[in-house]
Amino acid sequence: MIRVLLVDDQPLIRSGFRALLDLEDDIEVVAEAADGEEGLALVREQRPDVALIDIRMPVMDGIEATRRIAADPSLAGVHVVMLTNYGMDEYVFDALRAGAAGFLVKDIVPEDLLHAVRVAARGDALLAPSITRKLIHRYVTQPPPATSAALEELTSREREAVALAARGLSNDQIAGHMVISPLTAKTHINRAMTKLHAHDRAQLVVLAYESGLVTPRHR
């Protein structure tokens, strides 16, 4: 059973998401909160698998709540997915750096929301397509800084796996490309995350672009 916490200051959003999620046999909404401070307290109390957290809220915003969740080793099993009306702004980058596993826009279709919750519960990163496009555009229009020294700690195979993950490939696809087993691909990704201090796959992707390891492709 996937345990979900909803954190949003709009009651209508929370009730709509709860009604949809509670219809699924493998998903349970364990609690709701109207601001980040209350949400953080409930995360510590309930230890959900997935926390759907709005970016902009009173008392404590979603970014600060996410930062505190990511900084607490006892909450390592909680995967935060940010909710936004805006699609993309500076808050998205701040939240990815804070430890968010991904982003969804609030007008997401029901099927995509359910898929997103299941993907996040597995520990995989996810970004709504509109956000992914703008994320790539950000790095197309703004040259990345010099390669981080931290990347030098990666083996050549780990660097290759990270670059493929940044292109959106799954572990199975990375394995096929590198001609290795899916387990080995996962090991390369996990070791890279540890060396780069990336909270999850989403942060790993951001680091790959920011460091210059991956250069966005112009279309």
Side-chain angles (χ1 to χ4, degrees), residues 43-44 47 66-78 199:
V43 165
R44 290 170 173 160
R47 306 297 172 93
T66 298
R67 184 177 294 111
R68 296 190 188 189
I69 291 169
D72 188 340
S74 70
L75 301 178
V78 180
H199 181 260

Side-chain angles (χ1 to χ4, degrees), residues 9-198:
D9 61 335
Q10 299 179 57
L12 187 59
I13 293 292
R14 296 200 310 273
S15 62
F17 278 20
R18 175 185 275 274
L20 177 63
L21 295 171
D22 279 344
L23 289 174
E24 301 302 301
D25 293 336
D26 62 332
I27 299 174
E28 174 189 11
V29 176
V30 296
E32 297 180 23
D35 61 66
E37 185 173 80
E38 182 184 7
L40 180 61
L42 286 172
V43 165
R44 290 170 173 160
E45 175 186 321
Q46 297 290 336
R47 306 297 172 93
D49 300 300
V50 178
L52 298 177
I53 302 180
D54 187 20
I55 288 184
R56 301 183 185 183
M57 293 181 293
V59 185
M60 179 189 296
D61 65 29
I63 295 173
E64 180 59 27
T66 298
R67 184 177 294 111
R68 296 190 188 189
I69 291 169
D72 188 340
S74 70
L75 301 178
V78 180
H79 305 290
V80 175
V81 177
M82 306 298 295
L83 301 172
T84 176
N85 287 319
Y86 307 99
M88 174 59 73
D89 54 26
E90 288 301 320
Y91 293 96
V92 169
F93 297 98
D94 290 343
L96 282 172
R97 295 186 184 98
F103 282 84
L104 295 174
V105 289
K106 291 183 182 180
D107 61 357
I108 188 172
V109 299
E111 293 79 8
D112 288 346
L113 172 63
L114 297 174
H115 173 70
V117 167
R118 294 181 175 113
V119 167
R122 294 200 303 264
D124 292 336
L126 63 101
L127 294 171
S130 61
I131 290 177
T132 301
R133 287 193 297 270
K134 292 175 181 177
L135 178 66
I136 299 303
H137 177 72
R138 163 72 173 260
Y139 290 104
V140 167
T141 57
Q142 295 186 14
T147 301
S148 169
L151 288 179
E152 297 177 4
E153 297 182 18
L154 303 185
T155 66
S156 60
R157 297 296 267 174
E158 288 167 354
R159 289 168 67 93
E160 183 179 359
V162 170
L164 292 170
R167 297 294 187 197
L169 274 65
S170 66
N171 286 343
D172 287 345
Q173 292 170 322
I174 292 171
H177 188 93
M178 297 178 65
V179 195
I180 56 178
S181 71
L183 179 59
T184 300
K186 182 177 181 180
T187 298
H188 285 325
I189 293 296
N190 288 343
R191 286 177 177 169
M193 287 173 58
T194 299
K195 291 179 180 179
L196 297 175
H197 305 290

